[in-house]
Amino acid sequence: MKKLKIKQPLTAVHIVEKEWLNPYNPIVVNLIGAGGTGSQVLTALARMNHALIELNHPGLFVRLFDDDKVERANLGRQLFATAELKQYKAVALINRVNLFFGTNWKALTTRYDKAGLKAQNELAQAGLTISCVDTVQARLEIADILKAVYKRTNGYGRNKPVYYMDFGNSRFSGQVILSTIGKVPQPEMKKYQTVETLPMVTDEFKDLLMASESADKTPSCSLAEALTKQDLFINSALANVGASLLWQLFREGVLFNRGFFLNLKEFRMQPLKVSAPVAKIVPMKPKRTKRKVA
């Protein structure tokens, strides 16, 4: 008897937008949130930009959005000094990065929402948008803005929105998820199954986000109180591993993973694999048979 060969499904991968691997201009990045995670992500982006330029890549141009000011409770867990108290977080961080790395990045002391962007719609146009916010409502609004920008530009033009990366965390755990805004054209490959769409966190995990959101929204009055809500190193751990995913995107041009879940208390990390969309099964309609007339 002949042995039946079982055909194994191809490994799913996402091939990065081809213009990103050898662009003519810096990739525009909108970083939303300059708190515990955002301040760490900004530093990682500055290091990445310096490395990319050394590798003959035009690098990144970052705009940092945050309307909050530095308070004493932010010192220690977030990357701020005593001399920066009462300054806008975005301004303090961008000034420091520009001075240290010689960049010309921009600070915007406004919220990234429909009201804040109403007069300047072009500010929402960025190849990569990174959110480091702490509410589900903020994520939902960011996703709506990105979808609207993609629809308005039809996915074409300079600074067209391509990717959206979301950072989120609770006290000891968190996740980073990379999504596409619309479809990214993929080449045909025999070895892998290419995936053109990576679902947004607000579409794929909306129920989970709503269930995990903390009910306590009162600001902390001290670092000790802040540490009861978020561990000292959860933000930096997420920022570094998330930046490593971005580095892989720029340097290798192919992604097998589109994010991860991290539990810092148990020192456990679970990757989120790129997966092909599940085909919908459409039930077949029963055939109508014609009755024979006697």
Side-chain angles (χ1 to χ4, degrees), residues 5-113:
K5 291 184 178 180
I6 300 174
K7 190 176 181 180
Q8 296 293 333
L10 298 176
T11 303
V13 299
H14 175 76
I15 306 301
V16 176
E17 168 72 38
K18 63 179 181 179
E19 296 177 9
W20 281 39
L21 301 179
N22 192 24
Y24 295 105
N25 300 295
I27 303 295
V28 177
V29 180
N30 278 348
L31 176 56
I32 307 165
T37 304
S39 58
Q40 301 277 353
V41 171
L42 181 70
T43 303
L45 290 174
R47 294 173 60 196
M48 194 182 307
N49 173 70
H50 181 78
L52 286 171
I53 291 173
E54 289 296 310
L55 294 169
N56 296 318
H57 186 286
L60 312 172
F61 174 75
V62 178
R63 294 187 293 233
L64 178 60
F65 292 79
D66 200 305
D67 66 339
D68 201 8
K69 292 185 177 180
V70 181
E71 299 178 358
R72 188 162 293 278
N74 302 141
L75 307 182
R77 195 175 64 82
Q78 301 179 18
L79 295 182
F80 298 106
T82 307
E84 295 167 330
L85 287 170
K86 304 304 179 184
Q87 290 186 33
Y88 280 104
K89 291 182 178 180
V91 173
L93 290 172
I94 288 293
N95 283 344
R96 192 189 314 160
V97 166
N98 285 344
L99 183 63
F100 191 91
F101 288 95
T103 50
N104 188 30
W105 294 356
K106 302 298 180 185
L108 292 146
T109 57
T110 182
R111 288 192 179 186
Y112 187 99
D113 55 18

Side-chain angles (χ1 to χ4, degrees), residues 164-185:
Y164 169 43
M165 176 176 271
D166 176 69
F167 287 76
N169 70 280
S170 56
R171 185 177 180 185
F172 294 109
S173 61
Q175 74 285 331
V176 176
I177 298 175
L178 180 70
S179 314
T180 58
I181 306 166
K183 297 179 179 179
V184 176

Side-chain angles (χ1 to χ4, degrees), residues 241-257:
V241 184
S244 180
L245 178 61
L246 279 180
W247 179 247
Q248 188 179 96
L249 181 149
F250 282 112
R251 294 298 301 148
E252 297 182 13
V254 56
L255 296 177
F256 292 89
N257 302 293

Side-chain angles (χ1 to χ4, degrees), residues 135-145 164 202 206 210:
T135 67
V136 176
Q137 185 56 43
R139 288 185 175 90
L140 293 174
E141 189 160 7
I142 291 167
D144 287 343
I145 291 170
Y164 169 43
T202 50
K206 183 178 179 180
M210 297 293 288

Side-chain angles (χ1 to χ4, degrees), residues 182-293:
K183 297 179 179 179
V184 176
Q186 301 286 292
E188 291 187 7
M189 303 178 75
K190 292 183 179 180
K191 190 176 180 180
Y192 300 108
Q193 180 179 4
T194 54
V195 178
E196 63 182 1
T197 304
L198 306 177
M200 281 195 176
V201 60
T202 50
D203 295 331
E204 188 177 18
F205 298 107
K206 183 178 179 180
D207 294 339
L208 180 63
L209 291 172
M210 297 293 288
S212 63
E213 186 171 25
S214 174
D216 184 10
K217 301 299 177 187
T218 55
S220 304
C221 298
S222 65
L223 175 60
E225 186 178 348
L227 291 175
T228 64
K229 300 176 183 179
Q230 293 189 39
D231 187 65
L232 183 61
F233 293 106
I234 183 65
N235 303 112
S236 55
L238 287 170
N240 282 319
V241 184
S244 180
L245 178 61
L246 279 180
W247 179 247
Q248 188 179 96
L249 181 149
F250 282 112
R251 294 298 301 148
E252 297 182 13
V254 56
L255 296 177
F256 292 89
N257 302 293
R258 59 186 181 93
F260 60 90
F261 295 90
L262 174 68
N263 187 317
L264 202 57
K265 192 169 187 178
E266 299 177 6
F267 298 100
R268 178 165 46 86
M269 185 164 61
Q270 177 67 40
L272 182 61
K273 296 288 183 182
V274 173
S275 58
V278 179
K280 292 183 179 180
I281 300 174
V282 180
M284 294 180 66
K285 293 181 179 179
K287 292 182 179 180
R288 292 184 179 180
T289 56
K290 292 183 179 180
R291 290 182 180 178
K292 291 182 179 181
V293 178

